[in-house]
């Protein structure tokens, strides 16, 4: 037992330690020391930082089985977009060929810019609303609409009219936030592993809804170029090898269906536009199962030849489709 | 709870809740026409400062009269009933309250150091009178908006994994701004409402106005038994147990509730009411402080700043007034930075000179000015940033030219097609003007290894560039972009221009409104 302390600290002495107390405290200290040693062993590393294995996702193949009796591409001219979309999808075999009851469907329009529909920098909201509605009527469990925009995404979706169109059709907008990207194996020539908006991995069907636009570096923004909006990360580096990047993306994302908006076409100053004088009314909707043929077909709207657009030949060489769309089963019709 | 203290608590809870709601609603997605700057407009110090610098009472700032005029009759009610910083200080002081009577008596006694707030007010008003609006540095409303917007809310968002931008918000020197608020809040641990008693210039202004108030806390000298329970509860160090210092009294009404003999009431004087004590301020000290401020203003003007010399990195939000008028109006509240959808608006440290501390700058490494966005000018309570329409900003009819923030310049030593024979032109792609301000020349060159390479080498056409900075923001040369915006060519300045043809229509001291 320690002696009671005296009132004078100068005269106070250290209490004697009993054998029991000594053993107890020594055991305690030994326990702490052992814990430190074990802990040090556990966290020891010969690397400056510890790296866990990165989970790398892969795209599903969203395509449906080919049907040699059906057309590959349906070109519909008219003025009422919803009827034109119905007609074009109908020519390819009807929506039931592409959407099964209970499918989770993702639509990927081009919503890159804070622009209004009349400026034709984004896919028209009429096409998005029609497609959302068609998918819902075919029994889709959910229809999501997403894009990785270049301007502020909230402004892009609001001012393009696509947010309102999505809601009106019965779908949901999914804006990718900073935690919504997952590393994904692209398996391309220049694109290896890139961050991809996770929504693409959480659905059963993906429908591409691009718009025909001029683009100064690649010549045009069409169906294959629209897959830029799938990835995040430092995407501005893709310009350094833009044709290989486009083909890599098109090879990685194989959509169920592509429906092209060629109602308003941005002829100059793309891909941002801004001046309605650069926009021409072409009043065409094209549904296709071959993105290469579709892009090749759409060159006529921009007065471009296939030779001026290197990514088309590169895509054909990669087996993604045919540049010579006239060799394919293409049907044309007029609605309204 | 009951009586006037209970009423005060209900008001305080309402106004603190309203402040929180408006702060919440200030986020880009939630802006639905709420008057997010309401508290700033109610603030008499902002109104008075703005009046002294511009000789006008700008729009909503007239609401400050709703506070100022009643104060002349009723006393300093704003501080405990409405001011969010005052209410937060009051709550914290309550939590930190001393339990022992002898300690709280000591703490709540009036001290001469509480005069400092009047001296600070004099300095700020002299600065304002000479054209430099610095009230926002210490104004409690601007201070609490700024601290919440630029430091506390981003910290909460970051900790919670959210954020009001796609990426978590970052603000230049935000930790300093938040640190000031934390220091003010923690000071309540040492002295109850230290900020409100000793430092707050708005409190000083209202205290000065309360000198003539008719309604006051009155003590019936016959009923009072000198128990000093009122002093224990006093938030303002107003000596309610003696001759009341009504210039210091916040009307928290605690003393009335604490009194056991019903000796205290709020109202007109009765036949046996105690006297009040006048403002504890020495006229000679005030004159000394004012003279020091008069000297300090030209000293700040003699420092190199955008006021004297165009400064490349001082790029102001769209619609900003010319620099001298901007500094005469900006109260550094941070509201523009709160609503900016891209986080490009950042508080300056010393980039814009000492006078420009915490005023908004565009830092294009963080964001860019969204082409059709005019929110910053819409919410600015003092019109340091004019409220623009989208048509005026982009130069759509009836306007003939857009609002320019500056001009972009290529750094050809860093630009991929210029320096490294690598295709790029992301800048051209993202340029929002039509026709694009960035154009390119297609050249065929032979690279070092003998390959033929076709490149598009970009140029800026300065007449078309609006200085929005999206090219700089999206440039793949991430650390120091190969195209950068500097302030030259900004619409708001008549001097900071390089092209002869951009001078037309400019009249001395006015803004280029783009109306031809």
């Amino acid at each position: 037992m320690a002696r009671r302390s005296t009132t004078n600290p100068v005269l106070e002495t250290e209490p004697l330690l009993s054998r029991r107390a000594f053993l107890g405290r020594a055991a305690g200290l030994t326990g702490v020391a052992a814990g430190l040693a074990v802990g040090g062993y556990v966290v020891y590393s010969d690397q400056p930082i510890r790296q866990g294995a990165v989970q790398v996702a892969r795209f599903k193949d969203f395509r449906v089985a080919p049907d040699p009796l059906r057309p590959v591409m349906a070109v519909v001219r008219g003025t009422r977009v919803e009827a034109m979309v119905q007609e074009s999808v109908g020519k390819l075999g009807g929506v039931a060929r592409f959407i099964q009851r209970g499918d989770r469907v993702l639509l990927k329009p081009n919503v890159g810019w804070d622009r209004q529909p009349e400026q034709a920098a984004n896919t028209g909201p009429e096409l998005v609303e029609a497609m959302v509605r068609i998918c819902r009527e075919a029994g889709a469990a959910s229809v999501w609409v997403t894009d990785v925009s270049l301007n502020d995404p909230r402004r892009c979706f609001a001012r393009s009219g696509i947010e309102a169109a999505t809601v009106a059709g019965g779908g949901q907008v999914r804006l990718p936030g900073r935690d919504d990207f997952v590393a994904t194996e692209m398996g391309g020539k220049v694109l290896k592993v890139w961050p991809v908006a996770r929504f693409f991995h959480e659905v059963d069907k993906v429908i591409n809804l691009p718009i025909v636009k001029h683009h100064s570096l690649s010549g045009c923004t069409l169906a294959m170029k629209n897959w830029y909006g799938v990835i995040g990360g430092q995407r501005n580096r893709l310009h350094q090898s833009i044709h290989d990047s486009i083909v890599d993306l098109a090879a990685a994302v194989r959509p169920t269906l592509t429906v092209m908006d060629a109602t308003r076409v941005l002829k100059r100053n793309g891909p941002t536009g801004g001046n309605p004088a650069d926009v021409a009314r072409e009043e065409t909707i094209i549904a296709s199962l071959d993105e290469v043929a579709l892009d090749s077909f759409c060159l006529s709207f921009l007065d471009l030849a296939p030779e001026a657009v290197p990514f088309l030949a590169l895509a054909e060489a990669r087996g993604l489709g045919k540049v010579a769309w006239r060799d394919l089963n293409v049907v044309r019709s007029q609605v309204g | 709870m009951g009586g006037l203290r209970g009423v005060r608590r209900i008001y305080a809870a309402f106004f603190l809740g309203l402040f929180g709601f408006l702060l919440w609603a200030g986020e880009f997605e939630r802006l639905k026409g709420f008057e997010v700057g309401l508290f700033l407009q109610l603030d008499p110090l902002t109104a008075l400062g703005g009046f002294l610098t511009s000789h006008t009472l700008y729009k909503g700032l007239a609401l400050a009269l709703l506070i100022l005029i009643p104060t002349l009759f009723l006393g300093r009610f704003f501080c405990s009933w409405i001011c969010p910083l005052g209410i937060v200080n009051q709550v914290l002081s309550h939590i930190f309250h001393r339990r022992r009577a002898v300690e709280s008596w000591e703490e709540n006694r009036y001290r001469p150091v509480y005069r400092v707030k009047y001296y600070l007010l004099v300095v700020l008003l002299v600065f304002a009178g000479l054209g430099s609006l610095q009230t926002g540095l210490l104004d409690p409303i601007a201070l609490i908006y700024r601290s919440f917007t630029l430091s506390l809310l981003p910290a909460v968002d970051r900790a919670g994994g959210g954020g009001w931008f796609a990426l978590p918000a970052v603000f230049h020197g935000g930790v300093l701004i938040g640190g000031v608020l934390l220091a003010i809040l923690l000071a309540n641990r040492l002295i109850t409402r230290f900020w409100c008693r000793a430092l707050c210039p708005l409190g000083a202004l209202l205290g000065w106005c309360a000198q003539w108030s008719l309604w006051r806390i009155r003590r019936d000298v016959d009923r009072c038994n000198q128990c000093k329970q009122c002093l224990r509860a006093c938030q303002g160090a107003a000596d309610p147990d003696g001759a009341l210092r009504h210039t210091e009294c916040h009307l928290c009404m605690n003393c009335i509730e604490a009194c056991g003999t019903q000796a205290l009431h709020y109202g007109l004087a009765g036949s046996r009411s105690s006297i009040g004590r006048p403002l504890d301020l020495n006229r000679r000290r005030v004159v000394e402080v004012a003279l020091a401020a008069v000297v300090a203003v030209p000293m700040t003007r003699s420092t190199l700043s955008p006021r004297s010399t165009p400064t490349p990195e001082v790029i102001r939000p769209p619609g900003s007034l010319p620099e001298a008028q901007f500094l005469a109006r900006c109260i550094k509240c941070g509201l523009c930075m709160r609503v900016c959808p891209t986080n490009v608006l950042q508080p300056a440290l010393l980039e814009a000179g000492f006078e420009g501390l915490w005023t908004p700058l565009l830092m294009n490494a963080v964001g860019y000015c969204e082409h059709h966005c005019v929110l910053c000018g819409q919410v600015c309570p003092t019109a340091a940033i004019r409220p623009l329409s989208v048509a005026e900003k982009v130069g759509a009819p009836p306007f003939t030219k857009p609002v320019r923030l500056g001009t972009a310049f290529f750094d050809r030593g860093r630009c991929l097609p210029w320096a490294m024979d690598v295709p790029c032109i992301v800048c051209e792609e993202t340029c929002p003007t039509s026709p694009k301000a960035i154009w390119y020349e297609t050249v065929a060159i032979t690279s070092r290894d003998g390959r033929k390479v076709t490149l598009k080498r970009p140029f800026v056409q300065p007449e078309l560039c609006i200085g929005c900075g999206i090219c700089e923001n999206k440039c793949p040369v991430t650390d120091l972009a190969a195209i950068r915006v500097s302030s030259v060519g900004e619409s708001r300045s008549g001097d900071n221009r390089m092209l002869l043809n951009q001078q037309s229509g400019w009249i001395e001291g006015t803004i280029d409104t783009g109306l031809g």
Side-chain angles (χ1 to χ4, degrees), chain B residues 216-227 230 239-244 259 261-275:
Chain B
R216 290 176 190 174
I217 304 275
R218 314 282 185 178
R219 184 172 55 89
D220 187 316
V221 291
D222 293 336
R223 285 188 168 185
C224 175
N225 63 0
Q226 291 293 319
C227 72
C230 53
D239 292 345
D241 57 321
L244 180 85
C259 183
T261 61
Q262 279 81 51
L264 291 159
H265 82 285
Y266 175 69
L268 301 171
S271 56
R272 299 289 294 154
S273 289
S274 62
I275 57 160

mmCIF file of all heavy atoms in Angstrom, chain B residues 216-227 230 239-244 259 261-275:
data_model
loop_
_atom_site.group_PDB
_atom_site.id
_atom_site.type_symbol
_atom_site.label_atom_id
_atom_site.label_comp_id
_atom_site.label_asym_id
_atom_site.label_seq_id
_atom_site.Cartn_x
_atom_site.Cartn_y
_atom_site.Cartn_z
ATOM 1 N N ARG B 216 -37.414 51.453 -23.607
ATOM 2 C CA ARG B 216 -36.179 50.882 -23.071
ATOM 3 C C ARG B 216 -36.524 49.925 -21.951
ATOM 4 O O ARG B 216 -37.648 49.906 -21.467
ATOM 5 C CB ARG B 216 -35.279 51.972 -22.462
ATOM 6 C CG ARG B 216 -34.680 52.886 -23.476
ATOM 7 C CD ARG B 216 -33.889 53.986 -22.791
ATOM 8 N NE ARG B 216 -33.527 54.979 -23.791
ATOM 9 C CZ ARG B 216 -32.933 56.129 -23.511
ATOM 10 N NH1 ARG B 216 -32.651 56.433 -22.260
ATOM 11 N NH2 ARG B 216 -32.636 56.960 -24.464
ATOM 12 N N ILE B 217 -35.506 49.185 -21.501
ATOM 13 C CA ILE B 217 -35.638 48.441 -20.253
ATOM 14 C C ILE B 217 -35.561 49.472 -19.114
ATOM 15 O O ILE B 217 -34.629 50.288 -19.074
ATOM 16 C CB ILE B 217 -34.491 47.422 -20.090
ATOM 17 C CG1 ILE B 217 -34.440 46.478 -21.280
ATOM 18 C CG2 ILE B 217 -34.603 46.694 -18.759
ATOM 19 C CD1 ILE B 217 -35.335 45.293 -21.213
ATOM 20 N N ARG B 218 -36.532 49.454 -18.239
ATOM 21 C CA ARG B 218 -36.537 50.414 -17.122
ATOM 22 C C ARG B 218 -36.538 49.636 -15.813
ATOM 23 O O ARG B 218 -37.187 48.602 -15.694
ATOM 24 C CB ARG B 218 -37.795 51.276 -17.155
ATOM 25 C CG ARG B 218 -38.158 51.839 -18.506
ATOM 26 C CD ARG B 218 -37.318 53.035 -18.874
ATOM 27 N NE ARG B 218 -37.783 53.614 -20.131
ATOM 28 C CZ ARG B 218 -37.273 54.693 -20.682
ATOM 29 N NH1 ARG B 218 -36.262 55.330 -20.109
ATOM 30 N NH2 ARG B 218 -37.730 55.145 -21.823
ATOM 31 N N ARG B 219 -35.832 50.173 -14.828
ATOM 32 C CA ARG B 219 -35.767 49.533 -13.506
ATOM 33 C C ARG B 219 -36.420 50.455 -12.483
ATOM 34 O O ARG B 219 -36.058 51.628 -12.363
ATOM 35 C CB ARG B 219 -34.313 49.271 -13.128
ATOM 36 C CG ARG B 219 -34.122 48.515 -11.813
ATOM 37 C CD ARG B 219 -32.669 48.137 -11.609
ATOM 38 N NE ARG B 219 -31.800 49.318 -11.690
ATOM 39 C CZ ARG B 219 -31.480 50.081 -10.643
ATOM 40 N NH1 ARG B 219 -31.911 49.767 -9.428
ATOM 41 N NH2 ARG B 219 -30.722 51.144 -10.799
ATOM 42 N N ASP B 220 -37.379 49.902 -11.768
ATOM 43 C CA ASP B 220 -38.060 50.659 -10.711
ATOM 44 C C ASP B 220 -37.159 50.626 -9.478
ATOM 45 O O ASP B 220 -36.942 49.573 -8.881
ATOM 46 C CB ASP B 220 -39.419 50.002 -10.425
ATOM 47 C CG ASP B 220 -40.247 50.834 -9.467
ATOM 48 O OD1 ASP B 220 -39.670 51.316 -8.473
ATOM 49 O OD2 ASP B 220 -41.461 50.976 -9.712
ATOM 50 N N VAL B 221 -36.628 51.795 -9.092
ATOM 51 C CA VAL B 221 -35.616 51.810 -8.036
ATOM 52 C C VAL B 221 -36.209 51.454 -6.672
ATOM 53 O O VAL B 221 -35.481 51.044 -5.768
ATOM 54 C CB VAL B 221 -34.917 53.186 -7.949
ATOM 55 C CG1 VAL B 221 -34.055 53.406 -9.186
ATOM 56 C CG2 VAL B 221 -35.916 54.312 -7.783
ATOM 57 N N ASP B 222 -37.536 51.595 -6.512
ATOM 58 C CA ASP B 222 -38.140 51.214 -5.232
ATOM 59 C C ASP B 222 -38.287 49.712 -5.103
ATOM 60 O O ASP B 222 -38.082 49.138 -4.042
ATOM 61 C CB ASP B 222 -39.512 51.877 -5.085
ATOM 62 C CG ASP B 222 -39.379 53.382 -4.952
ATOM 63 O OD1 ASP B 222 -38.282 53.822 -4.528
ATOM 64 O OD2 ASP B 222 -40.328 54.090 -5.297
ATOM 65 N N ARG B 223 -38.690 49.085 -6.206
ATOM 66 C CA ARG B 223 -38.901 47.632 -6.151
ATOM 67 C C ARG B 223 -37.588 46.860 -6.133
ATOM 68 O O ARG B 223 -37.525 45.753 -5.600
ATOM 69 C CB ARG B 223 -39.690 47.184 -7.364
ATOM 70 C CG ARG B 223 -41.154 47.544 -7.284
ATOM 71 C CD ARG B 223 -41.869 46.893 -8.422
ATOM 72 N NE ARG B 223 -43.304 46.957 -8.241
ATOM 73 C CZ ARG B 223 -44.175 46.374 -9.045
ATOM 74 N NH1 ARG B 223 -43.727 45.670 -10.068
ATOM 75 N NH2 ARG B 223 -45.451 46.465 -8.818
ATOM 76 N N CYS B 224 -36.549 47.403 -6.756
ATOM 77 C CA CYS B 224 -35.281 46.667 -6.919
ATOM 78 C C CYS B 224 -34.632 46.437 -5.565
ATOM 79 O O CYS B 224 -34.501 47.364 -4.758
ATOM 80 C CB CYS B 224 -34.339 47.467 -7.806
ATOM 81 S SG CYS B 224 -32.706 46.724 -7.942
ATOM 82 N N ASN B 225 -34.229 45.165 -5.305
ATOM 83 C CA ASN B 225 -33.555 44.861 -4.046
ATOM 84 C C ASN B 225 -32.075 44.579 -4.247
ATOM 85 O O ASN B 225 -31.426 43.971 -3.413
ATOM 86 C CB ASN B 225 -34.250 43.692 -3.353
ATOM 87 C CG ASN B 225 -34.170 42.435 -4.193
ATOM 88 O OD1 ASN B 225 -33.596 42.452 -5.275
ATOM 89 N ND2 ASN B 225 -34.731 41.345 -3.685
ATOM 90 N N GLN B 226 -31.535 44.977 -5.432
ATOM 91 C CA GLN B 226 -30.093 44.854 -5.704
ATOM 92 C C GLN B 226 -29.591 43.416 -5.648
ATOM 93 O O GLN B 226 -28.470 43.147 -5.236
ATOM 94 C CB GLN B 226 -29.272 45.722 -4.719
ATOM 95 C CG GLN B 226 -29.455 47.209 -4.934
ATOM 96 C CD GLN B 226 -28.872 47.652 -6.274
ATOM 97 O OE1 GLN B 226 -27.819 47.221 -6.680
ATOM 98 N NE2 GLN B 226 -29.608 48.507 -6.982
ATOM 99 N N CYS B 227 -30.410 42.463 -6.071
ATOM 100 C CA CYS B 227 -29.971 41.059 -6.011
ATOM 101 C C CYS B 227 -29.060 40.701 -7.179
ATOM 102 O O CYS B 227 -28.386 39.697 -7.158
ATOM 103 C CB CYS B 227 -31.170 40.126 -5.984
ATOM 104 S SG CYS B 227 -32.028 40.030 -7.571
ATOM 105 N N CYS B 230 -30.493 40.108 -12.608
ATOM 106 C CA CYS B 230 -30.586 40.651 -13.970
ATOM 107 C C CYS B 230 -29.216 40.698 -14.630
ATOM 108 O O CYS B 230 -29.061 40.355 -15.799
ATOM 109 C CB CYS B 230 -31.229 42.037 -13.944
ATOM 110 S SG CYS B 230 -30.420 43.175 -12.805
ATOM 111 N N ASP B 239 -25.432 46.547 -17.944
ATOM 112 C CA ASP B 239 -25.599 46.999 -16.557
ATOM 113 C C ASP B 239 -27.060 47.236 -16.169
ATOM 114 O O ASP B 239 -27.427 48.333 -15.725
ATOM 115 C CB ASP B 239 -24.796 48.286 -16.311
ATOM 116 C CG ASP B 239 -23.298 48.036 -16.377
ATOM 117 O OD1 ASP B 239 -22.901 46.841 -16.315
ATOM 118 O OD2 ASP B 239 -22.547 49.002 -16.492
ATOM 119 N N PRO B 240 -27.923 46.258 -16.299
ATOM 120 C CA PRO B 240 -29.343 46.467 -15.973
ATOM 121 C C PRO B 240 -29.573 46.693 -14.477
ATOM 122 O O PRO B 240 -30.630 47.195 -14.102
ATOM 123 C CB PRO B 240 -30.008 45.167 -16.435
ATOM 124 C CG PRO B 240 -28.925 44.143 -16.379
ATOM 125 C CD PRO B 240 -27.654 44.874 -16.725
ATOM 126 N N ASP B 241 -28.577 46.355 -13.645
ATOM 127 C CA ASP B 241 -28.743 46.514 -12.197
ATOM 128 C C ASP B 241 -28.433 47.936 -11.745
ATOM 129 O O ASP B 241 -28.661 48.279 -10.606
ATOM 130 C CB ASP B 241 -27.823 45.526 -11.466
ATOM 131 C CG ASP B 241 -26.375 45.725 -11.876
ATOM 132 O OD1 ASP B 241 -26.134 45.979 -13.081
ATOM 133 O OD2 ASP B 241 -25.485 45.625 -11.019
ATOM 134 N N GLY B 242 -27.876 48.762 -12.678
ATOM 135 C CA GLY B 242 -27.564 50.132 -12.306
ATOM 136 C C GLY B 242 -28.218 51.090 -13.278
ATOM 137 O O GLY B 242 -29.403 50.974 -13.583
ATOM 138 N N ALA B 243 -27.406 52.024 -13.787
ATOM 139 C CA ALA B 243 -27.909 52.912 -14.827
ATOM 140 C C ALA B 243 -27.755 52.185 -16.152
ATOM 141 O O ALA B 243 -26.638 51.908 -16.596
ATOM 142 C CB ALA B 243 -27.103 54.209 -14.844
ATOM 143 N N LEU B 244 -28.875 51.834 -16.775
ATOM 144 C CA LEU B 244 -28.830 50.950 -17.951
ATOM 145 C C LEU B 244 -28.093 51.622 -19.110
ATOM 146 O O LEU B 244 -28.339 52.791 -19.436
ATOM 147 C CB LEU B 244 -30.246 50.606 -18.405
ATOM 148 C CG LEU B 244 -30.259 49.683 -19.619
ATOM 149 C CD1 LEU B 244 -30.142 48.235 -19.196
ATOM 150 C CD2 LEU B 244 -31.488 49.921 -20.472
ATOM 151 N N CYS B 259 -35.728 38.847 -12.958
ATOM 152 C CA CYS B 259 -35.984 39.679 -11.776
ATOM 153 C C CYS B 259 -37.053 39.054 -10.883
ATOM 154 O O CYS B 259 -38.143 38.709 -11.349
ATOM 155 C CB CYS B 259 -36.431 41.072 -12.220
ATOM 156 S SG CYS B 259 -36.699 42.184 -10.827
ATOM 157 N N THR B 261 -38.463 40.564 -8.306
ATOM 158 C CA THR B 261 -39.370 41.538 -7.684
ATOM 159 C C THR B 261 -40.141 42.349 -8.703
ATOM 160 O O THR B 261 -40.728 43.378 -8.373
ATOM 161 C CB THR B 261 -38.554 42.511 -6.802
ATOM 162 O OG1 THR B 261 -37.620 43.208 -7.638
ATOM 163 C CG2 THR B 261 -37.813 41.783 -5.717
ATOM 164 N N GLN B 262 -40.147 41.909 -9.953
ATOM 165 C CA GLN B 262 -40.842 42.618 -11.041
ATOM 166 C C GLN B 262 -40.445 44.096 -11.082
ATOM 167 O O GLN B 262 -41.277 44.966 -11.325
ATOM 168 C CB GLN B 262 -42.366 42.500 -10.915
ATOM 169 C CG GLN B 262 -42.927 41.198 -11.451
ATOM 170 C CD GLN B 262 -42.774 40.080 -10.429
ATOM 171 O OE1 GLN B 262 -43.147 40.224 -9.280
ATOM 172 N NE2 GLN B 262 -42.223 38.964 -10.869
ATOM 173 N N ALA B 263 -39.138 44.346 -10.840
ATOM 174 C CA ALA B 263 -38.684 45.734 -10.848
ATOM 175 C C ALA B 263 -38.403 46.216 -12.263
ATOM 176 O O ALA B 263 -38.297 47.413 -12.500
ATOM 177 C CB ALA B 263 -37.419 45.858 -10.002
ATOM 178 N N LEU B 264 -38.245 45.276 -13.220
ATOM 179 C CA LEU B 264 -37.843 45.656 -14.569
ATOM 180 C C LEU B 264 -39.010 45.532 -15.528
ATOM 181 O O LEU B 264 -39.812 44.599 -15.434
ATOM 182 C CB LEU B 264 -36.704 44.743 -15.042
ATOM 183 C CG LEU B 264 -35.381 44.946 -14.306
ATOM 184 C CD1 LEU B 264 -34.503 43.719 -14.461
ATOM 185 C CD2 LEU B 264 -34.666 46.178 -14.794
ATOM 186 N N HIS B 265 -39.091 46.467 -16.444
ATOM 187 C CA HIS B 265 -40.062 46.319 -17.530
ATOM 188 C C HIS B 265 -39.500 46.995 -18.773
ATOM 189 O O HIS B 265 -38.553 47.786 -18.707
ATOM 190 C CB HIS B 265 -41.423 46.914 -17.138
ATOM 191 C CG HIS B 265 -41.500 48.400 -17.323
ATOM 192 N ND1 HIS B 265 -40.884 49.288 -16.470
ATOM 193 C CD2 HIS B 265 -42.105 49.151 -18.275
ATOM 194 C CE1 HIS B 265 -41.118 50.533 -16.876
ATOM 195 N NE2 HIS B 265 -41.857 50.479 -17.977
ATOM 196 N N TYR B 266 -40.077 46.636 -19.935
ATOM 197 C CA TYR B 266 -39.670 47.258 -21.185
ATOM 198 C C TYR B 266 -40.767 48.214 -21.591
ATOM 199 O O TYR B 266 -41.929 47.812 -21.715
ATOM 200 C CB TYR B 266 -39.469 46.207 -22.280
ATOM 201 C CG TYR B 266 -39.164 46.798 -23.640
ATOM 202 C CD1 TYR B 266 -37.952 47.433 -23.869
ATOM 203 C CD2 TYR B 266 -40.096 46.741 -24.660
ATOM 204 C CE1 TYR B 266 -37.679 48.000 -25.104
ATOM 205 C CE2 TYR B 266 -39.824 47.296 -25.907
ATOM 206 C CZ TYR B 266 -38.616 47.926 -26.115
ATOM 207 O OH TYR B 266 -38.345 48.488 -27.332
ATOM 208 N N GLY B 267 -40.419 49.496 -21.755
ATOM 209 C CA GLY B 267 -41.450 50.444 -22.151
ATOM 210 C C GLY B 267 -41.015 51.860 -21.834
ATOM 211 O O GLY B 267 -39.819 52.165 -21.771
ATOM 212 N N LEU B 268 -41.998 52.721 -21.646
ATOM 213 C CA LEU B 268 -41.714 54.108 -21.296
ATOM 214 C C LEU B 268 -41.396 54.202 -19.808
ATOM 215 O O LEU B 268 -41.702 53.297 -19.030
ATOM 216 C CB LEU B 268 -42.916 54.989 -21.642
ATOM 217 C CG LEU B 268 -43.311 54.967 -23.127
ATOM 218 C CD1 LEU B 268 -44.634 55.684 -23.324
ATOM 219 C CD2 LEU B 268 -42.217 55.607 -23.973
ATOM 220 N N ALA B 269 -40.765 55.320 -19.405
ATOM 221 C CA ALA B 269 -40.342 55.465 -18.023
ATOM 222 C C ALA B 269 -41.546 55.652 -17.105
ATOM 223 O O ALA B 269 -42.520 56.317 -17.462
ATOM 224 C CB ALA B 269 -39.413 56.669 -17.895
ATOM 225 N N GLY B 270 -41.465 55.031 -15.940
ATOM 226 C CA GLY B 270 -42.459 55.276 -14.904
ATOM 227 C C GLY B 270 -41.969 56.382 -13.985
ATOM 228 O O GLY B 270 -40.910 56.986 -14.198
ATOM 229 N N SER B 271 -42.714 56.629 -12.907
ATOM 230 C CA SER B 271 -42.348 57.736 -12.015
ATOM 231 C C SER B 271 -41.076 57.433 -11.228
ATOM 232 O O SER B 271 -40.380 58.346 -10.801
ATOM 233 C CB SER B 271 -43.503 58.016 -11.048
ATOM 234 O OG SER B 271 -43.810 56.826 -10.349
ATOM 235 N N ARG B 272 -40.766 56.166 -11.030
ATOM 236 C CA ARG B 272 -39.604 55.817 -10.215
ATOM 237 C C ARG B 272 -38.581 55.014 -11.026
ATOM 238 O O ARG B 272 -37.913 54.130 -10.500
ATOM 239 C CB ARG B 272 -40.045 55.003 -8.989
ATOM 240 C CG ARG B 272 -40.992 55.736 -8.066
ATOM 241 C CD ARG B 272 -40.304 56.863 -7.301
ATOM 242 N NE ARG B 272 -39.314 56.379 -6.356
ATOM 243 C CZ ARG B 272 -38.248 57.078 -5.925
ATOM 244 N NH1 ARG B 272 -38.063 58.317 -6.387
ATOM 245 N NH2 ARG B 272 -37.404 56.574 -5.055
ATOM 246 N N SER B 273 -38.492 55.283 -12.338
ATOM 247 C CA SER B 273 -37.544 54.529 -13.159
ATOM 248 C C SER B 273 -36.136 55.097 -13.024
ATOM 249 O O SER B 273 -35.950 56.308 -12.908
ATOM 250 C CB SER B 273 -37.969 54.577 -14.634
ATOM 251 O OG SER B 273 -39.124 53.803 -14.822
ATOM 252 N N SER B 274 -35.162 54.171 -13.108
ATOM 253 C CA SER B 274 -33.764 54.577 -13.009
ATOM 254 C C SER B 274 -33.346 55.340 -14.260
ATOM 255 O O SER B 274 -33.980 55.243 -15.305
ATOM 256 C CB SER B 274 -32.879 53.342 -12.862
ATOM 257 O OG SER B 274 -33.026 52.551 -14.015
ATOM 258 N N ILE B 275 -32.267 56.072 -14.166
ATOM 259 C CA ILE B 275 -31.762 56.803 -15.333
ATOM 260 C C ILE B 275 -30.988 55.853 -16.246
ATOM 261 O O ILE B 275 -30.561 54.775 -15.835
ATOM 262 C CB ILE B 275 -30.839 57.963 -14.922
ATOM 263 C CG1 ILE B 275 -29.669 57.412 -14.084
ATOM 264 C CG2 ILE B 275 -31.608 59.025 -14.186
ATOM 265 C CD1 ILE B 275 -28.491 58.339 -14.043
#
